[in-house]
Amino acid sequence: MTVRKRLLGWLADAGLVLYFVFALFPIAWMVILSLKPAEQLFSTYFSFSPTFDGYRTVLGDSEGIPFVRFFVNSLVVSLGAVALSLLVGLPAAYASARWRFKGSENLMFTLLSFRFAPELTVIIPLFVLYQKLGLFDTYVGMVWVLQLVTLPLIVWIMRSYFADLTPELEQAALLDGYTRKQAFVKVALPLVKPGVAAVSLLAFIFAWNNFVFPLILTSNEAQTVTVGALSFLGGDRPKYNLTAAAALVSVVPPLLLALTIQRYLVRGLSFGAVKS
C-alpha cells in the first residue's frame, strides 16, 4: 500500500511538472523570440545568438513606432481608470453592503452585467458617441470607457469585504459623534485595506490588458500597449522579435505592482474577496 501511494505521489508530481512546463512554455518562447536577431528569427529554434537589439529598438523608437508613448498612455489611462473607479466604487460597495431595499439585488446584477457583457455589443454606439463628443483618441475618453471594465469589478468584490465587517463598529463610531461619512472613511475603510489593494491590482490588470476599447476608440495619441505592440507585425515581413519584446516590456507594470502590494494581496484574496 505504501509503494502504491508513493507511486501515485510521483505520478501526481510528474503531472504537475508537465502542466507547469506547458503553462510556462509560451512565456519562455516569447523570451526566446525577443532575444533572437532578425536574421535568425525563422532559421533556428533554440540555437541562436542572443541579443538585446529588439528591446533597444522597441524602447528607442527606431522603427517609427512610439512604443514608449503607448506605454505611458497605458499607465495614464489604467491608473486613471482605477483611481476613478475606487473613488466611485468604494462608497457604492459600502452602501450596497449596508443598505438593502427592494430591487437592490437586481441593481447590483445589472451593474455586474456591464462587466460580463461582450465589449463588441457596445463598441459601435460608443464609437459614434465619442466621435460626436470629441472623446475619440483622448485620455479622458479611455479612462471613462474603462469604467465598464473596472467599476463593476470593484463594487462587487468590495461589497463582500464591507459585508464581512460587523455593523457594530460603525454604530459605535456614530455614538461617539462621527458622521456616517467619517465612520466610513475612518473606521470601515481602514479595515478593508487588504481588499482595496487586491481589487486595485485586479482592476489595473483588466484595464491594462483591455484590447477592444483602445483598438476602436483610439488612433494614435491615446493608443495603449495592447494595440501598439501589434504595430510591429505590419509591413511585408512581420517582426515577431520586436512584438515579443514589446509584449514582455508591457508585462512589467502589473508584475511590479503585484510584487509591491503582495503583502496585502495574499491577505486580501483570502479575506472573502471572491465571495458574492
Side-chain angles (χ1 to χ4, degrees), residues 55 71 75 204 208 245-259:
Y55 292 94
F71 188 89
L75 282 177
F204 179 84
W208 182 273
L248 290 173
V249 169
S250 67
V251 173
V252 172
L255 183 61
L256 289 180
L257 184 60
L259 293 175

Side-chain angles (χ1 to χ4, degrees), residues 1-268:
M1 192 67 178
T2 304
V3 176
R4 182 182 178 184
K5 286 185 178 179
R6 188 177 301 172
L7 180 61
L8 290 175
W10 287 343
L11 290 175
D13 292 341
L16 288 175
V17 171
L18 288 175
Y19 178 77
F20 184 75
V21 172
F22 172 77
L24 289 184
F25 181 77
I27 300 177
W29 189 252
M30 290 284 285
V31 174
I32 292 173
L33 277 179
S34 69
L35 295 175
K36 278 189 173 185
E39 59 273 11
Q40 296 180 345
L41 194 58
F42 301 101
S43 59
T44 63
Y45 288 100
F46 299 103
S47 178
F48 61 94
S49 303
T51 177
F52 289 97
D53 288 345
Y55 292 94
R56 283 190 283 268
T57 301
V58 167
L59 299 176
D61 194 19
S62 61
E63 289 286 322
I65 299 173
F67 182 79
V68 173
R69 180 156 60 82
F70 297 156
F71 188 89
V72 174
N73 290 346
S74 286
L75 282 177
V76 172
V77 299
S78 298
L79 291 174
V82 172
L84 182 59
S85 295
L86 288 174
L87 184 64
V88 177
L90 290 177
Y94 176 74
S96 66
R98 286 291 179 260
W99 291 282
R100 304 295 177 89
F101 54 89
K102 185 177 181 180
S104 60
E105 290 300 317
N106 292 334
L107 180 62
M108 291 300 297
F109 276 107
T110 300
L111 178 64
L112 186 63
S113 68
F114 295 153
R115 173 66 189 89
F116 293 107
E119 295 167 351
L120 293 176
T121 59
V122 298
I123 196 64
I124 294 177
L126 281 174
F127 178 78
V128 175
L129 286 173
Y130 271 45
Q131 289 282 6
K132 291 184 177 296
L133 297 175
L135 295 176
F136 180 79
D137 200 21
T138 63
Y139 288 154
V140 175
M142 281 304 302
V143 169
W144 186 260
V145 76
L146 287 176
Q147 301 308 301
L148 294 175
V149 177
T150 57
L151 185 58
L153 181 73
I154 288 175
V155 172
W156 264 90
I157 293 181
M158 291 308 303
R159 182 194 189 199
S160 66
Y161 280 94
F162 288 119
D164 285 341
L165 295 179
T166 175
E168 282 77 10
L169 294 172
E170 294 129 70
Q171 293 171 2
L174 294 175
L175 290 175
D176 287 340
Y178 280 35
T179 64
R180 174 61 70 175
K181 179 181 177 181
Q182 289 173 328
F184 165 67
V185 174
K186 296 183 179 181
V187 177
L189 202 54
L191 293 175
V192 296
K193 282 195 300 184
V196 174
V199 78
S200 297
L201 175 62
L202 291 175
F204 179 84
I205 291 174
F206 278 112
W208 182 273
N209 290 339
N210 190 268
F211 179 76
V212 174
F213 288 145
L215 176 66
I216 304 298
L217 300 179
T218 65
S219 175
N220 185 43
E221 294 300 321
Q223 193 172 106
T224 61
V225 290
T226 52
V227 179
L230 299 181
S231 302
F232 297 104
L233 293 178
D236 55 345
R237 187 173 183 179
K239 302 175 179 64
Y240 294 112
N241 56 337
L242 300 186
T243 304
L248 290 173
V249 169
S250 67
V251 173
V252 172
L255 183 61
L256 289 180
L257 184 60
L259 293 175
T260 302
I261 65 173
Q262 63 178 338
R263 180 166 61 94
Y264 294 105
L265 184 62
V266 174
R267 182 183 170 193

